[in-house]
Amino acid sequence: MRGKGWEAMAGSVLPGERPDRLEEACAVFGVYAPGEDAARMAAFGLQALQHRGQESAGIAVGDGETVMVHKDTGLVDQVFDEEVLATLEGHIALGHTRYSTAGGGGWTSAQPHISAIGDEVIAVAHNGTLVDTKPQRAWLASQGVQLHSNTDSEVAAQIIGVETLRTGHLREGIRLMMGKLHGAYAIVLITAEGLYAFRDPNGIRPLSLGELPGGRGWAVASETCGLDAVGARFLRDVQPGEIVRIGADGLHSEQGIPAGRRASCIFEYVYFARPDSVIDGEVVYEARRRMGRILAREAPAEADLVLGVPDSGVPAALGYAEASGIPYADGIVKNRYVGRTFIQPTQAMREMGIRIKLNPLPSVIAGKRLVVIDDSIVRGNTSKKLVEMLKQAGAAEVHLRIVSPEVRWPCFFGIDTDTRSQLISANKDLEETRAFIGCNSLAFISLEGLHQAVQADHRGFCDACFSGDYAVPIPDRLRRSAGLE
Ligand code: SF4
């Protein structure tokens, strides 16, 4: 073991606790649809994007005169029922689901954020994380702006407000905010009369644009599955540094700030995104299947069956089976209805561990040598429990194959990773990790193999959590606290 304190940090895998995997920050959804019930469309869109955040949900609507918001902690269908949706009248809507990273959780951090620019009310929703907002917080304080939450999203909203008042143009306010803040952002903003969608100059977090059927309007969503949910036809991805503006005069685009080094999150394809989403021209399901095929070539195993850990491991397991000739089997069943119900797990539940979420099928796996495909290993506890569970169910051997390289570096761009001290691969070598997990063999896809698997319409990916190569400079203070130096 190279680092200190790794085992002391090892956490549980139960719902309601800090999960042993990389977790997505948020989803955004926006719709501009004259004559339509935009809030209901936003609720549909958010439900399709629920996998990107389960802590809170919110919808803001613009009706031509003002902007209203409803948001709360909980899943989309817990926060929005018929009664609530009926109060949100308007043809412009903005939705958000949150998994808390920067700024903690709770109602005050739920989005969209509402603020006023003079007489005009705006609502803002953000996916991503801004790197180091401390100087901008100080600048806002010097401008007499009081922040109501600890979130970086509110900082962005307030800077837009101050700059819009100063210049007299909302677009100029957005453009100046884009120049002042660094990091990952896919932001949707609505006023009473229009919708704006813009993306950081590196294009780190995804944002797609679609057209509603019959020319009835437009929608934007973190993933195309959100567009599909409202019947919108995918038009294109919002480009890095671009501002899309939609209003009564149609859709307009301009470059808010020049695009920088392209660094779209490659982990979206591994785990975060839904398999039916298309990001930058690549179908997530196909990328996962290709990852499995490449992994079979890079890390073959002598085995009887290939299993995928649901959900993200399944397409990759199919790919591994195709390339290796070893049959695929459904040997692990996932309980799809485990939410955040168990807020305070008891010790007995703690011991049940992973079985609340995943359960093996002994009739399929007993006596068999298994290749098990999973998306990633962060702390290693989930993988350890998974292997124990498969062996208890009678597996003769477990050969674990991972479709991402070793996670050795924290993410500063909207994904909930901790300091390096909590990442098993930053602290143990491959054999030590295998021994901790207790599998018969362990292998990860190579970084080259992962890049080869993702056939997007560009080659500029962020892979910093594997390589330590951050596209946005990380301030010294953050580097130190995350254990980078
Ligand atoms: S560091 Fe990893 S998880 Fe974070 S944006 Fe980059 S590739 Fe994605």
Side-chain angles (χ1 to χ4, degrees), residues 335-354:
N335 176 0
R336 290 176 197 286
Y337 301 100
V338 179
R340 296 192 150 236
T341 322
F342 306 104
I343 301 299
Q344 297 288 337
T346 63
Q347 188 56 31
M349 283 166 60
R350 219 178 281 275
E351 270 146 32
M352 278 188 259
I354 194 173

Side-chain angles (χ1 to χ4, degrees), residues 324-384:
S324 65
I326 303 169
Y328 168 83
D330 283 321
I332 305 171
V333 176
K334 181 178 175 183
N335 176 0
R336 290 176 197 286
Y337 301 100
V338 179
R340 296 192 150 236
T341 322
F342 306 104
I343 301 299
Q344 297 288 337
T346 63
Q347 188 56 31
M349 283 166 60
R350 219 178 281 275
E351 270 146 32
M352 278 188 259
I354 194 173
R355 298 191 80 134
I356 291 175
K357 274 191 168 172
L358 300 173
N359 209 14
L361 276 169
S363 61
V364 173
I365 66 175
K368 298 287 196 304
R369 296 169 303 163
L370 307 177
V371 175
V372 178
I373 312 290
D374 205 354
D375 52 71
S376 54
I377 296 180
V378 178
R379 295 178 186 79
N381 300 294
T382 306
S383 308
K384 185 182 172 71

Side-chain angles (χ1 to χ4, degrees), residues 33 35-39 61-64 68 87-93:
E36 305 282 331
D37 183 351
V61 287
D63 62 359
M68 287 174 293
T87 62
L88 294 171
E89 287 178 21
H91 63 286
I92 309 169

